[in-house]
Amino acid sequence: MDALTLLSRRDVLKAGGGFVVAFAFGAALPRVAFAQAPTLSGAPPTGKPIDNSEVDSFIVMHADGTATVYMGKVDVGTGLRTAVAQLVAEELGMSAERITVIDGDTGICPDQGGTGGSTGLTRGGTEVRQAAATAHQMLLALGAARLNRPVVELMATDGEVRPIAGGAGVGFGALVGGRRFEMKVDPKAPLRPAAGYRVVGTPVPRPDVADKCTGRLTYVTDLTVPNMLHARVIRPPAVGATLTSVDEGSLRGIPDVRVVRVQSFLAVVSKDEWAAVRAAAALKATWTEARTLPGSSGLEQWTRTGAVERDQEVLNRGDVTAAIARASTRLSATYFWPYQGHASLGPSCAVADVRADGSSTIWSAAQGGPPLRATLAKVFGLPVEKMRIVFLEGSGSYGTNGSDHVAADAVLLSKTIGQPVRVQWMRADEHAWDPKGPQQLLELHAGLDAGGRIVAWDTQMWLSTNAPGTRALLAADAAGLTQEHGNGAGAMTQNGDPPYQAENVRVTAHWLKEAPLQMSNLRAPGKIANVFAVEGFTDELAAAAGVDPLAFRLSRLTDPRAIEVLTRTAEAFGWQARPSPNPRARQGSLLVGQGIAYMRYKQAENYVAMAMEVAVNPTTGVIAVRRVTCAHDCGIIVNPDGLRNQIEGCIVQTLSRALHEEVTFDRSRVTSVDWVGYPILTFPEAPAVRVVMINRPELPILGAGEAATAPVAAALANAVFDATGVRLRTVPFTPVRVKAALTQPRPAAATA
Amino acid sequence: MPRYAFRLNGRPVSAESWDAAQPLLYVLRNTFGLHGPKFGCGLGQCGACTVLVDGRATRSCTTPVSRAEGRAVTTLEGLGTPEQPSTLQAAFIAEQAAQCGYCTNGMIMTATSLLARNPRPTLEQVKEGLSGNLCRCGTHTRILSAVMRASGA
């Protein structure tokens, strides 16, 4: 017990700079007050460890029995903070409502790497949980000493340690409050048995929702720091253009505005945000011409014929070539997915304070704070140990949107002018310059034997370059700074093979030498298009065999969890067992159909099946999605309402991507730079969504921020086929494209 | 510098602006520190900046501050607090109708205006009423449920 050293709540709060202020005004507002009073230097504050091996890095128990959890993973509107609070609450034996979670402050939180790939709970959450399990053991030991009873006679529950047999206990606050645990995280500390869970598995409300609904939450866009200037960056009119001249006289009449130029990096700064906005629009600058892009109109052809850097054998089982030659039925089809943006509703924003002593603080909504810190420090020549990135929520990012770039803009400006700078992009900046999810071209070939078995499956995918290295920052390139020029978009090749019994399977990725635009990870990288192709093509096989699409899938699956999500989806949806297309599709002027799709995320994680009902208007080409049913199995469910929210969001957002979204660009620039040029799904289009969640408390946690996106486009295309007999293989399914396809129906699949 | 007087969340206020065309959004956020209304597009396309002007949902990113002169402006903060939310805010909280929450201001302000004119809308009417508000997280289902809940349906 004496191993615990004194650490007052005030010290902990002090570790967060302005937290002291927060404490004075009320503990309910730590994040806000912290954000508003950045008195800290860039160096990690003393008083609390951030090493991942220490319990104290993750958990601080206060004298009043409340706790603060520090995690490196960030909550970008997914409910991660709440789910992690539940994991900790369960292990400690207290209520989740008495736990505050601080996320993504590199100065006070352990480094758990960037957030993405649905690893927030899986990796981040389980690491915090193990710290809590270790702390649980310490709480019992402290209770044993205080109550003078052996540990085996005690339990930790409801925020206190008390005798199992009954009688008075002692609260966590009294046992630990204000002092450190001073223990290493014990990887063997036992976890509570799932059978006894009281907090995990319950729909604990997210505290941020009430703040968001009342204007109380401080987003990164809402932060002001003393002496802060507002900036807008003027990006070149063409990708790769350089700045030749600037006419500062064009800003006459706009008060208190200053032009900052570092080679081709051009910005305006002002105390007055509107002055900066006006100045950015008014500033006359001349740039060189640049015509380096392939243009989006011929992108499928560009992808098919582009120079290939290397071929990657993703999977090769059996002898596909020989098996296709022997097959009694052979089918081929080509699928294409366009460039799409993260299209965050609010443009990216960051605040940077780079001091003369080399210390720096950056407030950012970026999902990858720790890697971003390393990149910013290196590129801008700042000491990484004196750089602190403080996460504040931004508009949803769904991967690496413009947040890294805008942080670089802010750092360059603050370093250049020696004042804190807030940069927010304008709408066109975000649409044009956020790194994007790249195009994907997939060609599939399959062979069936006389009995309808899949004897051969061949997926060939063409992907933009996966150049290694860190993604180049726009500001650094413009300012002529040395940096890496990596260009990757994440794990693009997963789910390229069918999840069904097939004797010979081959998946090959052809990596092109080039990429049309800068890329990044966009929610479920690669998987949505891969499943669109694989599950669309599976539907084509079922149609060619004249078999009900659900039965076709079920008869080729053996994994009971796969079978369960499909059957539960079909039951909840009211699936009509029959081959597609729908013989009775016509309802008045509309054509109505059903579609289904299944996948296991990354072929290793969540099981998801999805069915949809669509009504297609053949006159207008408009697809109305009437209802969507999804069964989802991600192992144990931590927060069922949070999970449902994520699944619903996955479905609706991906419907938007499949129905509407395509980044357009000409030889010089992105041309889809607002919500008219890049429309997303609107409320009148929102379908009824029904989610069936399968809980498996005995199984490990899996993330759920991405998996349910993957089958959406496939289920949609399959439903359109059922309704119309026309197979859509190119996204987005715009009315013009649908109408054209209906007017000139192509064969269901090329048969050889 | 010209000064513009209006009522803001029930109180008389005035704000200076060097530019009569400065959108009300910047004045609300930077002069008055009201961060409920958000900058989304600056083009009146997404609705994240919505406030009530004389009770009607208005895009503050395209409304010059001069046009607020003499009017009553209400922001998200003026509707309620986490402790005492408005009926609609309480419905959003009960339905947990947010993910990132960046669009939430626009949803609540637009729906507040809608419900004031039509307290018992159908689901289709709510969808139509929110057709100019964009949500990127795909929280549509919950937002619709929240508005219907507030309407007592």
Side-chain angles (χ1 to χ4, degrees):
Chain A
M1 186 160 85
D2 292 329
L4 294 168
T5 52
L6 281 173
L7 177 70
S8 72
R9 176 163 190 172
R10 193 176 170 81
D11 285 337
V12 174
L13 296 171
K14 200 181 281 174
F19 276 135
V20 176
V21 179
F23 195 43
F25 286 107
L29 294 168
R31 179 172 292 275
V32 175
F34 171 34
Q36 297 292 359
T39 55
L40 46 104
S41 71
T46 54
K48 176 188 165 298
I50 56 172
D51 187 299
N52 296 43
S53 67
E54 299 284 336
V55 171
D56 296 310
S57 301
F58 294 98
I59 299 165
V60 172
M61 182 66 69
H62 307 295
D64 62 359
T66 62
T68 303
V69 167
Y70 297 83
M71 68 173 179
K73 298 285 187 193
V74 295
D75 184 338
V76 288
T78 58
L80 180 64
R81 280 189 299 268
T82 305
V84 167
Q86 289 178 255
L87 292 178
V88 171
E90 191 72 66
E91 292 306 323
L92 293 180
M94 62 187 289
S95 93
E97 284 82 359
R98 289 174 67 77
I99 296 174
T100 301
V101 179
I102 307 286
D103 54 337
D105 180 338
T106 64
I108 54 177
C109 298
D111 180 354
Q112 297 185 294
T115 304
S118 292
T119 61
L121 259 190
T122 319
R123 294 189 204 152
T126 51
E127 201 174 358
V128 181
R129 178 172 63 171
Q130 201 58 39
T134 308
H136 173 220
Q137 297 304 310
M138 174 60 97
L139 288 168
L140 289 172
L142 292 169
R146 184 74 66 92
L147 296 169
N148 204 18
R149 299 177 78 130
V151 164
V152 291
E153 292 180 12
L154 300 174
M155 63 195 288
T157 189
D158 299 330
E160 64 174 21
V161 175
R162 63 176 180 234
I164 296 169
V170 53
F172 295 167
L175 287 173
V176 190
R179 290 173 302 170
R180 294 190 193 180
F181 287 99
E182 293 223 333
M183 305 173 73
K184 294 283 180 198
V185 176
D186 176 4
K188 295 204 174 81
L191 298 172
R192 303 255 191 179
Y197 278 170
R198 299 170 62 184
V199 185
V200 170
T202 63
V204 173
R206 287 163 46 194
D208 57 299
V209 171
D211 289 344
K212 287 170 175 176
C213 291
T214 52
R216 187 69 69 84
L217 190 109
T218 298
Y219 289 85
V220 67
T221 47
D222 304 330
L223 178 73
T224 53
V225 302
N227 212 24
M228 180 185 93
L229 297 179
H230 291 273
R232 289 296 181 279
V233 178
I234 298 100
R235 304 242 100 97
V239 176
T242 55
L243 183 59
T244 48
S245 71
V246 179
D247 171 17
E248 296 199 21
S250 56
L251 299 187
R252 263 190 294 276
I254 303 176
D256 295 327
V257 67
R258 174 180 162 194
V259 174
V260 180
R261 179 181 175 181
V262 184
Q263 295 198 15
S264 286
F265 179 82
L266 182 63
V268 288
V269 296
S270 174
K271 277 187 294 189
D272 184 308
E273 186 177 14
W274 176 240
V277 172
R278 278 279 309 271
L283 186 63
K284 287 204 173 79
T286 53
W287 303 77
T288 59
E289 289 285 328
R291 292 171 60 79
T292 58
L293 310 181
S296 55
S297 60
L299 191 60
E300 182 173 343
Q301 184 67 10
W302 184 91
T303 307
R304 183 180 286 284
T305 57
V308 172
E309 170 95 12
R310 71 187 172 97
D311 286 340
Q312 178 193 357
E313 189 181 87
V314 179
L315 179 71
N316 196 354
R317 192 170 69 232
D319 186 341
V320 168
T321 309
I324 284 199
R326 281 199 311 271
S328 57
T329 310
R330 288 185 284 276
L331 289 93
S332 299
T334 301
Y335 287 77
F336 185 72
W337 194 276
Y339 253 79
Q340 293 183 332
H342 301 80
S344 295
L345 194 75
S348 294
C349 179
V351 179
D353 183 5
V354 181
R355 302 280 173 91
D357 65 2
S359 68
S360 56
T361 307
I362 298 114
W363 291 266
S364 165
Q367 289 182 203
L372 176 62
R373 182 171 67 151
T375 304
L376 290 173
K378 189 173 166 194
V379 170
F380 293 104
L382 295 166
V384 69
E385 70 281 2
K386 294 169 83 174
M387 180 180 283
R388 181 175 182 182
I389 293 189
V390 181
F391 173 77
L392 289 173
E393 280 193 65
S395 182
S397 39
Y398 329 106
T400 302
N401 65 350
S403 287
D404 288 6
H405 285 313
V406 81
D409 291 342
V411 167
L412 178 59
L413 282 164
S414 180
K415 190 183 177 203
T416 303
I417 66 176
Q419 260 180 272
V421 175
R422 172 188 185 271
V423 184
Q424 185 168 20
W425 281 5
M426 300 302 283
R427 173 45 43 202
D429 297 328
E430 188 73 29
H431 263 91
W433 296 97
D434 88 306
K436 293 174 173 53
Q439 90 283 13
Q440 292 171 259
L441 175 67
L442 294 109
E443 197 177 280
L444 299 100
H445 307 275
L448 303 178
D449 69 9
R453 289 185 310 155
I454 303 171
V455 292
W457 181 294
D458 187 26
T459 300
Q460 308 275 325
M461 50 178 77
W462 283 261
L463 296 162
S464 281
T465 178
N466 191 23
T470 307
R471 193 172 297 114
L473 298 165
L474 292 169
D477 264 356
L481 300 171
T482 304
Q483 63 174 336
E484 293 179 12
H485 285 82
N487 203 3
M492 297 292 291
T493 63
Q494 293 164 325
N495 290 101
D497 53 321
Y500 308 109
Q501 284 172 342
E503 286 160 39
N504 305 280
V505 179
R506 184 171 62 197
V507 178
T508 312
H510 309 289
W511 293 97
L512 302 178
K513 282 187 174 153
E514 293 177 41
L517 298 168
Q518 189 181 48
M519 303 181 287
S520 74
N521 48 315
L522 170 60
R523 198 175 201 171
K527 270 78 83 181
I528 299 175
N530 292 344
V531 174
F532 167 53
V534 169
E535 276 294 277
F537 194 53
T538 299
D539 226 58
E540 300 195 50
L541 299 184
V547 176
D548 167 44
L550 172 65
F552 187 88
R553 286 170 171 82
L554 287 173
S555 64
R556 287 161 180 79
L557 288 167
T558 52
D559 186 335
R561 292 173 73 186
I563 291 167
E564 182 166 356
V565 289
L566 268 168
T567 51
R568 295 281 293 273
T569 295
E571 281 164 22
F573 179 80
W575 181 259
Q576 302 168 31
R578 53 164 175 75
S580 286
N582 184 0
R584 285 180 296 279
R586 189 160 283 282
Q587 285 183 7
S589 61
L590 302 174
L591 298 171
V592 177
Q594 61 177 11
I596 198 160
Y598 158 77
M599 64 96 235
R600 185 176 186 194
Y601 197 58
K602 303 177 187 173
Q603 299 289 38
E605 298 181 1
N606 304 359
Y607 298 80
V608 187
M610 199 172 288
M612 285 187 204
E613 179 184 318
V614 300
V616 181
N617 183 328
T619 312
T620 61
V622 170
I623 301 169
V625 181
R626 288 178 168 174
R627 60 196 181 93
V628 182
T629 300
C630 171
H632 189 279
D633 171 358
C634 58
I636 184 172
I637 296 171
V638 178
N639 185 319
D641 190 61
L643 174 62
R644 187 183 299 276
N645 201 351
Q646 282 301 294
I647 295 170
E648 290 167 352
C650 282
I651 292 168
V652 176
Q653 186 184 73
T654 313
L655 280 176
S656 176
R657 291 176 65 178
L659 287 169
H660 297 297
E661 298 182 30
E662 176 176 13
V663 173
T664 60
F665 48 97
D666 59 21
R667 297 296 312 280
S668 298
R669 66 189 70 82
V670 172
T671 52
S672 49
V673 293
D674 62 16
W675 297 115
V676 175
Y678 192 88
I680 62 173
L681 191 103
T682 58
F683 271 93
E685 303 169 276
V689 178
R690 181 165 178 195
V691 177
V692 178
M693 296 182 293
I694 299 169
N695 190 19
R696 301 196 184 278
E698 72 285 2
L699 292 180
I701 297 168
L702 290 171
E706 297 176 307
T709 63
V712 172
L716 177 59
N718 295 347
V720 171
F721 175 76
D722 190 58
T724 65
V726 170
R727 176 66 56 184
L728 299 176
R729 300 190 190 89
T730 299
V731 163
F733 308 154
T734 56
V736 169
R737 184 169 276 146
V738 171
K739 212 173 149 182
L742 289 173
T743 315
Q744 286 191 308
R746 291 173 293 178
T751 2
Chain B
M1 208 182 287
R3 188 168 270 284
Y4 303 91
F6 53 98
R7 292 186 74 80
L8 179 56
N9 293 333
R11 295 207 179 89
V13 298
S14 69
E16 287 186 334
S17 177
W18 60 275
D19 181 2
Q22 173 167 196
L24 179 61
L25 175 67
Y26 294 96
V27 175
L28 295 173
R29 290 180 55 85
N30 296 332
T31 305
F32 296 105
L34 294 169
H35 296 144
K38 300 278 187 282
F39 178 86
C41 63
L43 306 164
Q45 294 176 349
C46 76
C49 66
T50 305
V51 299
L52 302 182
V53 176
D54 290 342
R56 291 194 83 87
T58 303
R59 303 287 158 102
S60 69
C61 78
T62 51
T63 302
V65 62
S66 54
R67 215 185 295 159
E69 173 79 33
R71 298 179 185 270
V73 176
T74 306
T75 71
L76 187 63
E77 293 90 340
L79 297 185
T81 62
E83 297 74 31
Q84 285 192 301
S86 73
T87 305
L88 187 58
Q89 286 171 321
F92 269 70
I93 296 165
E95 295 286 339
Q96 293 280 287
Q99 289 190 37
C100 83
Y102 203 85
C103 74
T104 306
N105 167 75
M107 300 302 168
I108 293 178
M109 300 314 287
T110 306
T112 295
S113 174
L114 170 74
L115 292 175
R117 283 176 284 122
N118 180 5
R120 293 277 182 275
T122 63
L123 181 62
E124 294 310 311
Q125 287 171 328
V126 176
K127 285 183 173 183
E128 201 47 50
L130 292 174
S131 61
N133 287 72
L134 299 178
C135 166
R136 182 53 167 164
C137 295
T139 320
H140 301 64
T141 318
R142 283 167 182 245
I143 292 168
L144 293 170
S145 299
V147 179
M148 294 308 287
R149 174 192 278 251
S151 76

